[in-house]
Amino acid sequence: MSEPSFTDTPGTTPRPYTDLPIAFRAFQELHAQPYFDFALTVLGNQTLAQHIVDEAFLALLDRWDRVLTEPNPNAYAWAALRCAVEAQQARAAEHRLLIERLVFSAVVRREAEPLIADIDADALANRTDEEVGVSVAAAVLELSGAKFDVIVLRYLNKYDIKKTAAAMGIDETTVRSLTSQAKAKIEARLAPRRLLRPGPAKHDQE
């Protein structure tokens, strides 16, 4: 017997299954959409994102009793989803990785105006609009862990702080802090390199 798909057409509300625990079905209905949004934005493919989300929910179902005993089930589940997304990225060949980066760059150029507006103007000086999009995308891709997650959810998926916190299983203060840290790292990555100039020779100072 084939395993059930936990969600319908990509991006739609998941359909319930009567043979699943009630608590699990409620959890699925609450989190399937943000999980799919995150996977789609990172991987750039609806079918693949749907498959990853289904795999993540199946893994959670297999250990559902343990999930319920966790101090923070939402955070535990988000970590499981992220592991599934990272595993898919690790399986990708080198040429696929290049394609994914190009897809992600296109998403950033199209969707990240609020993020670009929040970045220090000096960091983006002397760049064309196209260069800004590519540069910001590259800087976002260099973020790691939760900093990357909050930028994707808040700026690319247009989630507010409350919805981002709920999806990731963290509090709103942590979302704000991670956002500030991520933007600081992006600005540092975009900051123009300054050439070091030699100081005056010692004999010139005497």
Side-chain angles (χ1 to χ4, degrees):
M1 179 177 178
S2 61
E3 296 171 330
S5 174
F6 284 100
T7 50
D8 258 327
T9 303
T12 63
T13 303
R15 59 181 182 271
Y17 286 83
T18 56
D19 57 336
L20 299 177
I22 294 175
F24 181 84
R25 295 207 309 270
F27 183 91
Q28 168 204 346
E29 290 172 2
L30 181 63
H31 293 284
Q33 189 66 58
Y35 285 14
F36 174 80
D37 290 342
F38 179 80
L40 176 60
T41 302
V42 175
L43 300 175
N45 181 288
Q46 284 195 349
T47 302
L48 184 56
Q50 192 69 71
H51 176 69
I52 292 301
V53 172
D54 285 347
E55 280 192 338
F57 276 119
L58 284 168
L60 290 170
L61 180 61
D62 285 342
R63 61 186 82 136
W64 187 239
D65 289 342
R66 176 182 173 182
V67 174
L68 293 178
T69 64
E70 289 292 321
N72 190 336
N74 287 359
Y76 181 91
W78 181 263
L81 169 74
R82 202 174 203 292
C83 283
V85 172
E86 289 177 341
Q88 174 57 41
Q89 289 180 305
R91 290 193 293 264
E94 202 63 35
H95 71 281
R96 285 293 306 276
L97 180 59
L98 175 60
I99 293 173
E100 289 167 9
R101 290 177 71 93
L102 291 173
V103 169
F104 186 77
S105 295
V107 171
V108 171
R109 288 198 301 273
R110 186 177 69 245
E111 303 290 347
E113 281 301 322
L115 174 59
I116 293 170
D118 279 352
I119 294 173
D120 182 8
D122 290 341
L124 300 175
N126 302 318
R127 287 182 171 93
T128 66
D129 290 344
E130 185 74 10
E131 290 170 339
V132 166
V134 172
S135 299
V136 171
V140 170
L141 283 167
E142 290 189 1
L143 297 173
S144 59
K147 296 182 185 67
F148 176 80
D149 298 353
V150 298
I151 292 298
V152 169
L153 289 175
R154 288 201 60 199
Y155 288 100
L156 303 186
N157 293 134
K158 306 297 192 295
Y159 281 23
D160 60 21
I161 291 174
K162 182 177 181 179
K163 193 173 181 180
T164 300
M168 294 180 63
I170 57 180
D171 57 53
E172 294 179 25
T173 300
T174 302
V175 171
R176 291 188 181 92
S177 176
L178 288 169
T179 302
S180 296
Q181 294 173 38
K183 288 193 293 187
K185 284 186 173 293
I186 291 171
E187 289 178 356
R189 171 68 173 76
L190 295 174
R193 294 187 175 88
R194 293 178 172 81
L195 295 176
L196 297 177
R197 299 181 180 278
K202 184 177 180 180
H203 64 269
D204 291 336
Q205 299 176 337
E206 296 174 347

